[in-house]
Amino acid sequence: MSVLDSKVPKGPLKTKWTDYKNHIDLVNPANKRNIDVIVVGTGLAGGSAAATLAELGYNVKTFCYQDSPRRAHSIAAQGGINAAKNYQGDGDSTYRLFYDTVKGGDYRSREANVYRLAEVSANIIDQCVAQGVPFARDYGGLLDNRSFGGVLVSRTFYAKGQTGQQLLLGAYSAMNRQIARGKITPFNRHEMLDVVKVNGKARGIIARNLVTGEIERHSAHAVVIASGGYGNVYFLSTNAMGSNATAAWKIHKKGAFFANPCYTQIHPTCIPRSGDYQSKLTLMSESLRNDGRIWVPKNMDDVMAIREGKKKPTDLSEDERDYYLERRYPAFGNLVPRDVASRAAKERCDAGYGVNATGEAVYLDFASAIERYGKEQAKIHNINNASADKVYELGAAIVKAKYGNLFQMYEKIVDQDPYKTPMMIYPAVHYTMGGVWVDYNLMTTVDGLYCIGEANFSDHGANRLGASALMQGLADGYFVLPYTIGDYLSHEIRTGKIATDTPEFDAAEKEVTDKINFFINNKGSHSVDYYHKKLGNIMWEKCGMSRNAEGLKEAMVEIKALREDFYKNVSVPGTATELNAELEKAGRVADFLELGELFAKDALERAESCGGHFREESVEIGGEQAGEAKRNDVDFAFVSAWEYKGEPGDAVLHKEELEFNEIELKQRSYK
Ligand SMILES: Cc1cc2nc3c(=O)[nH]c(=O)nc-3n(C[C@H](O)[C@H](O)[C@H](O)COP(=O)(O)OP(=O)(O)OC[C@H]3O[C@@H](n4cnc5c(N)ncnc54)[C@H](O)[C@@H]3O)c2cc1C
């Protein structure tokens, strides 16, 4: 059994990264010109990495399945990006960002990586401002901040509800500069379908041109995977429809370990699902919890009256509402971390207090904020005795300026005006903290194969705090990988060009082609989505927020059976030599059907409740603490990495204790 070596440098947390950078090997500029790097994925992580590596002088090839890097899933990010700038003078610091992230992740992240992340966070903002990213500014012209869950400071930089889009345009413009210089060769509409290893090292990929169907070989001295998260294993999630696990799963099958596959972030503020024919869930940004108050009715009579349409939420007085987060967590109130908010919403709904027809919704209410802002504006504008209508008008204008696009999105989907009636929200799958295991250099267990951004596991433990995914992706791409990869590439300066006419490339290409031909020729009776939906259902019911050993064992059996049926009966129309979206989906769902089983196995192995997951055997429910999972304080098996051997079901679990001794494991709840 291999031993995982995190390669975390010795020394105090505070100086690890600086000391490390001072001592790693470098590649001189002339040698960089002879070194090729492949970057799979051009979202925020891959886009920033590609631009920076090319700026340094490496020859970069980028791959993405969209028609442009601008369409990566990162564009969907709404709320913001964290950085320990302390612009608000409210007590923020590198240490506090580090501490919040480790605590928010239920003490299951690798501390050295998180400290480094907190250190470089401030540089990200400077970098992006220099690129022209239009972060929101306050009245005096300085960069504005808001707050996100699980913290007591305002450290989130934002661009209205479109932060990801603006950051991605910044990274894309940085890429474009390198494309113009000839240092990046972009391969858009290309899907990586396998990695090629030569003598144990990653030396290239097999990609399919999604427009023509042509299978291509690309070689490099190192391969970087930045392919995003796998939340769509649940079918319904807030992820972009195309987000998938294929790149991460293929490298796993070639020897890259997977860590914590079962840690999924269930985001508390999503628009509830409306029926069986839905293919996507919509996020309402966490930023809304800065001003929105979450509640359900106190009395069951009111719940029933609302469900039956006999009462409106606005008919209920303050006394008749249960602002359960403010009640249970007075210090953090509505801004508890996502896992805590999701579990609390589920607990209220499971207890019967859900406010929509399915009983799976709680309110997110802006009436207090509109009134508060309205009164403040009336004072600012010197309007004495402002009428209720005037206060509403002034307050709604402020809320619109802050969250207008989110409110508009909600109204379009739900057909209710959230300025006038509270939004309805419910937890939904949003982000995957688990992913490809990487060491301190962001290298996987395969030499020369790196993994960055949401696709890796390293920084968020069992629960990611809001606005920290963008921070991690850009930290990895702009500030971490460009240093650490040099240490490896310094040993490649004499290697020369990597040939693609070798048995290793032949074998990988054959595997890819055989699979494609199989799908085209199978001529079964069910669509790919038929299987994806069924898988999603098993995942949500048995590997979702609440889990128990029996259900997880059942899930493993059911997923295996579903996979077998998929290979017998899946139908993929069209041919392999054209743009064929069903064929693309078939490959991705095939990988989800393997990952899903591993996921359930990992969840089964963990007899613990943590992050967004209740493990029923270790949960105590009752009284005021109903729904607050009793944490299993004994089990600190933080990393489970799986080595692929034959069938996914045969995976072998490896556990390693990383260094969790630097923060005292104290006060683990958010009361
Ligand atoms: C609705 C929503 C809102 C969010 N809001 C925030 C927020 O406000 N703040 C925050 O910090 N985080 C937020 N997140 C999380 C954050 O957006 C993501 O975690 C982050 O953008 C992921 O970036 P990435 O670069 O790792 O991956 P992605 O942006 O998902 O990019 C993946 C890239 O890989 C490519 N790719 C994948 N597989 C292959 C393959 N096999 N071959 C070739 N190319 C491939 C894709 O084409 C794409 O270019 C949000 C997430 C969602 C769903």
Side-chain angles (χ1 to χ4, degrees):
M1 188 181 290
S2 333
V3 174
L4 288 172
D5 178 4
S6 63
K7 301 208 175 86
V8 171
K10 298 263 174 281
L13 265 179
K14 276 189 178 161
T15 53
K16 275 185 202 294
W17 179 230
T18 308
D19 286 350
Y20 187 68
K21 280 190 298 178
N22 286 341
H23 295 101
I24 53 177
D25 289 334
L26 300 176
V27 182
N28 93 23
N31 284 330
K32 286 195 183 102
R33 289 197 282 273
N34 300 322
I35 289 190
D36 306 328
V37 181
I38 282 173
V39 180
V40 177
T42 48
L44 282 175
S48 57
T52 312
L53 293 171
E55 180 75 42
L56 285 171
Y58 298 109
N59 310 310
V60 178
K61 284 181 176 184
T62 59
F63 293 81
C64 70
Y65 57 74
Q66 292 92 347
D67 59 349
S68 158
R70 281 171 306 163
R71 289 189 200 273
H73 161 66
S74 290
I75 202 170
Q78 300 170 345
I81 174 166
N82 289 329
K85 284 277 200 188
N86 194 27
Y87 279 173
Q88 304 303 319
D90 56 0
D92 202 8
S93 63
T94 299
Y95 180 82
R96 212 176 267 278
L97 173 49
F98 156 73
Y99 181 86
D100 289 344
T101 307
V102 173
K103 180 180 174 188
D106 270 0
Y107 301 91
R108 278 147 171 82
S109 19
R110 186 188 288 147
E111 289 179 10
N113 291 49
V114 178
Y115 199 89
R116 172 174 69 186
L117 175 67
E119 269 181 294
V120 304
S121 65
N123 304 46
I124 298 172
I125 304 303
D126 297 343
Q127 167 94 354
C128 296
V129 168
Q131 287 170 347
V133 171
F135 285 121
R137 291 178 182 265
D138 65 16
Y139 182 73
L142 301 174
L143 296 185
D144 199 14
N145 294 120
R146 53 190 176 198
S147 203
F148 267 59
V151 310
L152 298 173
V153 296
S154 289
R155 64 161 74 101
T156 304
F157 295 77
Y158 63 100
K160 230 179 178 180
Q162 301 152 352
T163 316
Q165 179 188 35
Q166 298 307 325
L167 292 171
L168 192 60
L169 290 176
Y172 180 58
S173 59
M175 275 183 72
N176 267 340
R177 187 177 120 72
Q178 304 304 327
I179 293 171
R181 289 176 68 217
K183 294 304 293 180
I184 290 183
T185 311
F187 292 84
N188 303 340
R189 288 254 161 148
H190 276 66
E191 182 164 24
M192 169 204 156
L193 293 176
D194 212 348
V195 66
V196 181
K197 273 168 65 178
V198 179
N199 296 330
K201 290 181 175 179
R203 289 304 197 189
I205 63 168
I206 304 294
R208 176 168 181 265
N209 178 328
L210 298 178
V211 179
T212 64
E214 203 177 326
I215 302 297
E216 300 173 7
R217 302 175 179 198
H218 296 272
S219 68
H221 298 88
V223 176
V224 180
I225 302 297
S227 54
Y230 52 84
N232 283 345
V233 69
Y234 284 90
F235 187 65
L236 284 182
S237 86
T238 63
N239 286 196
M241 294 290 287
S243 294
N244 68 85
T246 288
W249 192 249
K250 296 299 187 206
I251 67 168
H252 173 55
K253 290 178 91 161
K254 287 278 164 80
F257 284 15
F258 228 88
N260 309 339
C262 75
Y263 284 163
T264 313
Q265 176 154 88
I266 318 280
H267 197 298
T269 57
C270 300
I271 299 180
R273 73 187 270 184
S274 58
D276 282 346
Y277 293 98
Q278 199 169 342
S279 53
K280 171 95 184 69
L281 292 172
T282 307
L283 175 75
M284 289 287 102
S285 166
E286 178 163 311
S287 60
L288 294 173
R289 285 198 277 141
N290 274 265
D291 284 314
R293 299 176 71 196
I294 294 178
W295 63 275
V296 290
K298 267 186 193 158
N299 305 315
M300 195 53 81
D301 291 348
D302 289 332
V303 173
M304 298 323 288
I306 286 174
R307 283 195 200 165
E308 288 160 15
K310 293 181 185 149
K311 267 190 179 175
K312 292 192 296 239
T314 43
D315 294 336
L316 267 57
S317 68
E318 283 292 291
D319 279 356
E320 291 166 326
R321 302 171 177 201
D322 176 13
Y323 293 96
Y324 56 88
L325 290 177
E326 296 172 26
R327 168 170 60 80
R328 285 173 56 182
Y329 310 102
F332 288 82
N334 292 291
L335 275 172
V336 288
R338 290 175 181 175
D339 55 341
V340 177
S342 291
R343 292 197 313 260
K346 182 167 162 48
E347 184 277 324
R348 283 294 75 195
C349 291
D350 287 354
Y353 290 86
V355 292
N356 66 354
T358 63
E360 292 191 336
V362 299
Y363 288 128
L364 177 64
D365 192 337
F366 291 84
S368 309
I370 290 175
E371 191 181 343
R372 175 166 43 86
Y373 284 127
K375 285 185 176 162
E376 192 179 293
Q377 287 299 306
K379 276 207 160 44
I380 291 169
H381 292 98
N382 228 354
I383 306 171
N384 293 322
N385 303 321
S387 66
D389 284 353
K390 189 68 188 169
V391 168
Y392 172 83
E393 180 194 319
L394 293 168
I398 298 293
V399 168
K400 186 173 183 187
K402 288 182 136 188
Y403 315 112
N405 66 317
L406 302 170
F407 275 53
Q408 189 190 26
M409 206 156 75
Y410 182 87
E411 188 167 2
K412 281 199 176 235
I413 294 172
V414 182
D415 200 22
Q416 286 181 358
D417 179 356
Y419 292 96
K420 301 233 161 78
T421 186
M423 287 182 181
M424 281 185 287
I425 51 161
Y426 194 69
V429 170
H430 179 65
Y431 181 91
T432 40
M433 278 77 61
V436 177
W437 186 91
V438 287
D439 64 16
Y440 190 70
N441 294 319
L442 305 180
M443 187 148 93
T444 69
T445 42
V446 173
D447 279 352
L449 182 59
Y450 292 78
C451 189
I452 61 176
E454 188 173 341
N456 79 22
F457 90 108
S458 72
D459 291 358
H460 308 293
N463 171 58
R464 174 175 69 77
L465 290 186
S468 58
L470 303 185
M471 171 174 70
Q472 184 219 328
L474 291 180
D476 287 358
Y478 284 134
F479 297 109
V480 179
L481 180 81
Y483 283 100
T484 58
I485 202 171
D487 196 43
Y488 174 80
L489 293 173
S490 64
H491 303 282
E492 295 288 335
I493 57 178
R494 292 196 189 83
T495 307
K497 275 270 171 236
I498 313 279
T500 57
D501 55 349
T502 60
E504 291 86 352
F505 274 91
D506 291 346
E509 183 176 323
K510 182 173 180 317
E511 217 176 298
V512 166
T513 315
D514 286 351
K515 186 108 184 213
I516 288 172
N517 291 339
F518 167 79
F519 284 131
I520 294 292
N521 297 327
N522 198 46
K523 310 282 183 227
S525 47
H526 294 305
S527 69
V528 176
D529 264 9
Y530 167 90
Y531 290 99
H532 195 180
K533 261 189 198 175
K534 279 191 177 291
L535 173 67
N537 205 35
I538 302 172
M539 297 300 295
W540 181 248
E541 293 302 327
K542 300 194 167 156
C543 317
M545 289 186 75
S546 52
R547 303 167 171 184
N548 59 52
E550 199 187 340
L552 290 165
K553 283 180 196 155
E554 283 165 14
M556 284 166 60
V557 173
E558 288 169 22
I559 294 169
K560 200 167 180 193
L562 189 65
R563 192 170 62 235
E564 280 164 16
D565 189 46
F566 171 82
Y567 279 103
K568 276 192 204 129
N569 292 317
V570 72
S571 158
V572 176
T575 69
T577 52
E578 60 179 340
L579 186 65
N580 187 340
E582 282 301 299
L583 177 61
E584 292 167 31
K585 263 198 286 181
R588 294 169 192 168
V589 170
D591 293 333
F592 280 143
L593 283 163
E594 294 182 6
L595 169 65
E597 190 183 339
L598 179 68
F599 190 115
K601 210 171 173 187
D602 181 38
L604 180 64
E605 175 75 16
R606 294 169 182 282
E608 59 173 3
S609 290
C610 68
H613 310 297
F614 291 104
R615 181 65 183 255
E616 283 167 10
E617 299 90 299
S618 62
V619 173
E620 284 178 10
I621 307 254
E624 272 296 284
Q625 293 306 308
E628 171 70 349
K630 188 103 183 153
R631 303 303 169 90
N632 181 345
D633 286 321
V634 198
D635 186 350
F636 284 103
F638 298 102
V639 172
S640 70
W642 298 73
E643 188 180 20
Y644 184 78
K645 285 186 179 164
E647 282 298 300
D650 301 327
V652 173
L653 177 69
H654 300 265
K655 270 190 190 155
E656 179 207 36
E657 290 244 328
L658 299 177
E659 49 234 77
F660 282 84
N661 45 4
E662 302 196 48
I663 276 189
E664 259 184 75
L665 294 170
K666 59 186 177 187
Q667 206 214 338
R668 309 188 65 226
S669 67
Y670 283 82
K671 280 175 215 145

